[in-house]
Amino acid sequence: MTDHDVAQDPDERRLSTREAADRLGVKPETVYAYVSRGQLTSRREPGGRGSTFDAREVDALARRGGRREPSGAGSELAVRTGITLIDRDHCYFRGVDTSELATHHSYEEVAEWLWTGEMRRGIRFTAPHDALTAARRAVDALPAHTGPMDRLQVAVIAAAAADPLRFDLSERAVLDTARTLIPTLVAALPRRAAGRSLAQGGAEEAGAGDGRAASGRAAGGLGAAEQAAPGQGAAGRGSAGHAAPGQAAAELGAGGRVAAELGAAEKPAPEPGAEDGPLAPRLWSRLTSEPADPPSLRVLDAALVLLIDHDLAASTLAVRVAASARAHPYAIVSAGFGALDGALHGAASGLAHRMLLEVLDRGSAAAVVADHLRAGRRVPGLGHPLYPGEDPRARALFALLEDVPRARPALQAARDVITTTARHKEWHANVDLALAVLTVAAGMPAEAGETIFAVARTAGWIAHALEEYEEPPLRMRPSGQYSGPRPPQPLP
């Protein structure tokens, strides 16, 4: 090292093309592509044999997420984000364990904190009249057989059309939109009419009377504890003990508050007031006609928290691409819904739901697991590429489901699946299996898990959009690797 090198300010150091490529984790050709797009500037030093790059500019590009990290399959786009970290079988939001967040805070509280950094206790999201009216009219015009994901996609477009200020991308405007869009989506879904629970509709999904019998065992096969008087049975129990609803609220944090505030949720609330309370019971009434007991609501609220974000899933990447093009919040949520609607993304919980119904119907997981393996199919609800062990979200939900008496048959069926499959390969439960236990136990349809996922993930998509709006526009523009015939080619 020369004296000049020692005295040189590190911030003014110039990097060679190879050094810049190494810092960015890309090939040298990609560095020149960044130059051509205006993302980097290059300079030739007198007497030098190649271009050099400002180290500070290269580092800034890397911080903005314009780097590609090496992976086993070549290169994959890596976007720097301060939202979610997945590490050693744990998932963290802004450095806080998601299981702890789900235990102590409501969905609305965690969403607000994720967006603003402020934990606002007891915050509620309310749908504005104009957006809700437009969304409900659009959804009501759909065919009767329309599924909830189609209804949500129509609702978000209708809500956008009712908001002339949707193109305002200031942080305050985006936050206002987020706080009103999520409850609008929930309220636009039709309520489940009495009797239209899985006990009746299960035959449509599982086939004939077998599905009806299975759902009867899952949602109605309860012991003496379930038949206790209100206040002495499930409504008075939680993981913190046998406290009464008011006492439970103080002991259980937000999860307990949500449940305690809705201890009377076994009776449908009036239409106006029903849209002003916590989000979990509002969503519950759109997923099942079964009465909502506090422990079940705690599980649903925790599921909403745990599913808010999960790094750069396909739908989240679609959202960030849309936000990079400065699409408004309604459009970025539409982009997320579009990716989530894919068979390989949002449909997994429905497959696990149907599998649990079949296990309950046949009385054992062995034959069901054997059928999947024989057909060359993976067993639904097991394994996750990001977790060598058990999905921490599943672990948290299973713990809460222990306090839901009506969930015992479905919970045992899930354990039977895990135990049976372990004889063949050590697969651990993922969040789709835990979600399926809830949806089966509560008499929800198979697509309910996807609906819960979509509503929950909307908050995460907004958080990613807020991050992306702070980045240079249109940065999500990878270069294509042309593999067609070399020109010139004859005119066809």
Side-chain angles (χ1 to χ4, degrees):
M1 181 179 289
T2 64
D3 291 340
H4 176 73
D5 290 330
V6 173
Q8 185 180 21
D9 184 347
D11 287 339
E12 296 179 358
R13 181 167 177 257
R14 305 292 297 180
L15 302 177
S16 67
T17 302
R18 169 53 64 185
E19 289 172 326
D22 288 344
R23 282 201 188 190
L24 291 167
V26 300
K27 297 177 181 179
E29 306 92 272
T30 306
V31 175
Y32 291 114
Y34 288 148
V35 173
S36 67
R37 297 180 208 149
Q39 293 176 276
L40 282 179
T41 55
S42 63
R43 188 175 75 199
R44 281 188 175 273
E45 301 292 346
R49 302 180 66 180
S51 298
T52 63
F53 304 85
D54 188 321
R56 291 171 300 180
E57 194 176 51
V58 172
D59 289 340
L61 177 61
R63 286 194 297 272
R64 292 200 303 269
R67 62 181 292 162
R68 291 175 182 266
E69 301 286 2
S71 71
S75 290
E76 61 182 13
L77 183 66
V79 177
R80 290 179 181 265
T81 173
I83 299 172
T84 299
L85 170 67
I86 297 172
D87 183 46
R88 299 178 184 177
D89 287 342
H90 285 273
C91 183
Y92 304 90
F93 291 162
R94 303 208 186 280
V96 181
D97 194 299
T98 55
S99 298
E100 292 296 315
L101 288 169
T103 300
H104 295 95
H105 295 287
S106 71
Y107 171 73
E108 296 95 311
E109 289 171 350
V110 175
E112 181 72 18
W113 168 74
L114 207 57
W115 298 334
T116 67
E118 181 182 357
M119 185 60 75
R120 296 174 59 186
R121 296 275 186 173
I123 186 173
R124 298 285 179 261
F125 297 160
T126 305
H129 178 268
D130 289 350
L132 181 54
T133 300
R136 279 180 168 167
R137 284 177 177 170
V139 169
D140 290 346
L142 296 172
H145 64 268
T146 303
M149 277 307 301
D150 289 334
R151 295 179 189 275
L152 288 175
Q153 292 185 70
V154 168
V156 71
I157 294 171
D163 183 3
L165 304 180
R166 62 186 179 276
F167 294 102
D168 183 353
L169 300 186
S170 64
E171 182 178 359
R172 179 177 179 179
V174 173
L175 290 173
D176 287 344
T177 298
R179 296 183 188 112
T180 57
L181 175 57
I182 294 173
T184 297
L185 294 176
V186 172
L189 294 173
R191 291 176 179 271
R192 301 286 291 184
R196 276 290 302 171
S197 67
L198 195 63
Q200 174 182 342
E204 299 173 9
E205 298 161 3
D210 293 344
R212 187 179 298 110
S215 61
R217 286 193 294 275
L222 309 179
E226 291 83 337
Q227 300 169 11
Q232 298 176 344
R237 289 193 298 276
S239 58
H242 299 268
Q247 181 182 350
E251 295 178 354
L252 298 177
R257 289 201 306 276
V258 171
E261 289 173 13
L262 287 139
E266 295 180 4
K267 295 181 180 180
E271 180 70 25
E275 307 302 348
D276 296 332
L279 194 76
R282 288 186 254 172
L283 180 58
W284 179 280
S285 67
R286 269 72 183 183
L287 299 175
T288 179
S289 61
E290 292 291 323
D293 58 87
S296 296
L297 287 175
R298 287 191 63 226
V299 177
L300 177 57
D301 193 55
L304 289 169
V305 171
L306 294 166
L307 292 169
I308 284 177
D309 190 51
H310 204 235
D311 197 30
L312 284 183
S315 56
T316 305
L317 182 58
V319 161
R320 292 201 73 130
V321 171
S324 177
R326 297 303 182 259
H328 55 72
Y330 302 94
I332 68 105
V333 172
S334 290
F337 283 162
L340 183 62
D341 208 21
L344 300 181
H345 194 358
S349 61
L351 297 175
H353 176 107
R354 292 181 175 92
M355 177 187 67
L356 289 184
L357 281 182
E358 189 176 359
V359 171
L360 288 165
D361 178 57
R362 299 173 72 168
S364 170
V368 178
V369 169
D371 287 346
H372 277 83
L373 297 178
R374 183 179 183 182
R377 301 190 303 266
R378 290 203 56 172
V379 180
L382 299 180
H384 196 291
L386 298 182
Y387 300 112
E390 186 177 34
D391 185 334
R393 301 168 298 172
R395 186 165 56 241
L397 291 180
F398 282 143
L400 291 172
L401 284 162
E402 292 281 358
D403 294 325
V404 181
R406 73 169 104 193
R408 288 171 190 164
L411 195 56
Q412 183 55 48
R415 288 173 176 152
D416 195 8
V417 169
I418 296 169
T419 302
T420 302
T421 314
R423 303 172 197 166
H424 172 72
K425 184 176 181 180
E426 190 178 5
W427 282 331
H428 298 276
N430 62 36
V431 72
D432 294 312
L433 186 62
L435 205 55
V437 172
L438 171 64
T439 57
V440 168
M444 297 176 185
E447 64 268 19
E450 186 176 12
T451 307
I452 296 168
F453 189 107
V455 171
R457 192 56 58 92
T458 299
W461 292 336
I462 295 293
H464 278 276
L466 286 167
E467 275 194 344
E468 193 59 40
Y469 288 150
E470 295 299 316
E471 301 289 351
L474 295 174
R475 72 188 183 113
M476 296 286 189
R477 175 55 170 89
S479 298
Q481 294 184 343
Y482 180 71
S483 59
R486 300 299 302 174
Q489 294 292 317
L491 185 68

